[in-house]
Amino acid sequence: MAIPAQLQNGLRLPVIAAPMFLVSGPDLVIESCNAGIIGTFPSLNQRTTEGYAQWLEDIKSRLKPDAAAFGVNHIVHPTNTRLMADMMVSVEHKVPLIITSLGAVREVVDAVHGYGGVVFHDIANVRHARKAAEAGVDGLIMVANGAGGHAGVVHPFALIEEVRRFFDGTLILSGCISTGRDVAATRMLGADFAYMGTRFIATSESAAQPEYKQMIVEAGSMDITYTPAVSGIPANFLTASLLANGIDPKTLPEHKLDMGEEAKAWKTVWSAGQGAGAVADVPGTAQLVERLREEYREAVDAFVSSQSFV
């Protein structure tokens, strides 16, 4: 187990609320951190670099002294023309955790390490994991089968075992994690953090539309479609949302990645993971985190007290 020292203060549960496009904002981040988990957001959720800097000021001013750390997701891809400007702001504000996606770049890692920050990188397969490890990242976010957003197709059991063979940094597991019991299972698999997205879309502080939240509450695992048709990269979406936008899951079009077009599409085409089937309400974030902690404790206690096969 390897949780970086920079991320241990204020941490009450090994959970990262994932940075979700057009969903994660200051309110969700602040409530998450104040409740004792790591809250994150994509810098591109703000329309400008100046707006991004203002969000950082807002978050830092509203965090309690004993709050957990927060993080920011940067898209490291040629189509993201704001990367360098946003990174300069992140360095200036010394953002504790930087999450990189769609590219692991040594220069970005070195810039964050320069002020004492931590870098985690999204990976969907072992090839991506090796490249990120070579770039010097501190942790790998294993976006396994069933996760919301840009997800992979590898089973979490297979992915975590193979990655651990060559990577001794922090491991973060993503994919269908919706309860405290799921978080405990993630730790049992050998991951240091559980990475939760879909469950936090359906909270009162998320920026998702009420209809989006309700669609998640009503969805099951069979109501998710995995397709590259929306963004050019395979991702999981609510099937009902695709149909509402005239996209037939049975005849999906080809699509080339374009950050501008993706931003427009995701406003009305809503993403979620297969873990949506475990989401039944829309609580406040603090209430949800406390529930997760209770479920986590119950799961751990039940495992420890069991004498079977020991």
Side-chain angles (χ1 to χ4, degrees):
M1 300 296 177
I3 294 179
Q6 302 96 310
L7 304 182
Q8 292 181 12
N9 292 338
L11 191 66
R12 302 174 67 197
L13 190 68
V15 167
I16 298 173
M20 295 170 286
F21 191 49
L22 304 180
V23 170
S24 304
D27 290 344
L28 182 55
V29 171
I30 291 163
E31 286 299 306
S32 296
C33 295
N34 285 339
I37 66 171
I38 295 176
T40 67
F41 72 98
S43 64
L44 293 178
N45 274 5
Q46 249 292 355
R47 298 183 63 181
T48 65
T49 296
E50 293 74 19
Y52 166 50
Q54 291 172 1
W55 271 15
L56 290 180
E57 293 284 1
D58 183 29
I59 289 169
K60 291 164 69 175
S61 69
R62 293 165 58 193
L63 289 178
K64 297 178 181 178
D66 60 347
F70 71 94
V72 171
N73 173 228
H74 290 303
I75 303 297
V76 184
H77 189 275
T79 59
N80 180 15
T81 58
R82 273 178 45 188
L83 176 61
M84 294 309 297
D86 286 357
M87 271 301 305
M88 289 178 65
V89 170
S90 295
V91 171
E92 178 184 353
H93 284 269
K94 298 182 179 180
V95 175
L97 171 63
I98 295 295
I99 297 171
T100 54
S101 304
L102 302 182
V105 178
R106 170 70 70 171
E107 289 76 12
V108 171
V109 175
D110 290 345
V112 177
H113 286 171
Y115 65 78
V118 174
V119 180
F120 292 165
H121 182 71
D122 283 342
I123 64 101
N125 55 50
V126 174
R127 180 174 62 85
H128 294 161
R130 291 188 183 278
K131 287 186 176 180
E134 291 171 359
V137 302
D138 304 288
L140 296 175
I141 302 169
M142 297 170 289
V143 188
N145 186 35
H150 295 140
V153 296
V154 183
H155 192 284
F157 282 22
L159 190 56
I160 195 169
E161 288 296 329
E162 197 166 355
V163 169
R164 184 55 87 188
R165 291 179 185 176
F166 62 86
F167 184 74
D168 60 1
T170 305
L171 289 184
I172 308 96
L173 187 61
S174 171
C176 306
I177 302 172
S178 301
T179 69
R181 182 179 295 275
D182 296 339
V183 176
T186 298
R187 295 278 291 181
M188 285 296 298
L189 283 175
D192 303 294
F193 281 105
Y195 202 65
M196 301 178 68
T198 301
R199 174 60 274 198
F200 282 90
I201 297 174
T203 57
S204 57
E205 288 82 11
S206 95
Q209 298 95 318
E211 296 82 3
Y212 186 178
K213 299 177 185 182
Q214 186 59 33
M215 190 176 289
I216 288 177
V217 170
E218 295 174 357
S221 59
M222 296 297 291
D223 299 313
I224 307 297
T225 296
Y226 185 70
T227 175
V230 176
S231 67
I233 296 177
N236 277 312
F237 295 93
L238 289 157
T239 304
S241 178
L242 292 172
L243 292 171
N245 283 272
I247 302 174
D248 184 354
K250 296 179 180 178
T251 56
L252 293 168
E254 294 293 328
H255 195 294
K256 185 177 180 180
L257 178 63
D258 182 298
M259 295 301 296
E261 289 301 316
E262 181 178 28
K264 296 176 183 177
W266 285 51
K267 291 180 180 179
T268 55
V269 182
W270 298 330
S271 177
Q274 294 175 6
V279 179
D281 60 355
V282 184
T285 300
Q287 177 187 351
L288 173 60
V289 173
E290 184 56 35
R291 181 194 305 171
L292 293 172
R293 293 183 69 233
E294 292 177 2
E295 293 170 344
Y296 180 85
R297 286 194 298 265
E298 291 173 358
V300 171
D301 290 344
F303 181 81
V304 171
S305 64
S306 173
Q307 300 301 311
S308 300
F309 310 112
V310 176

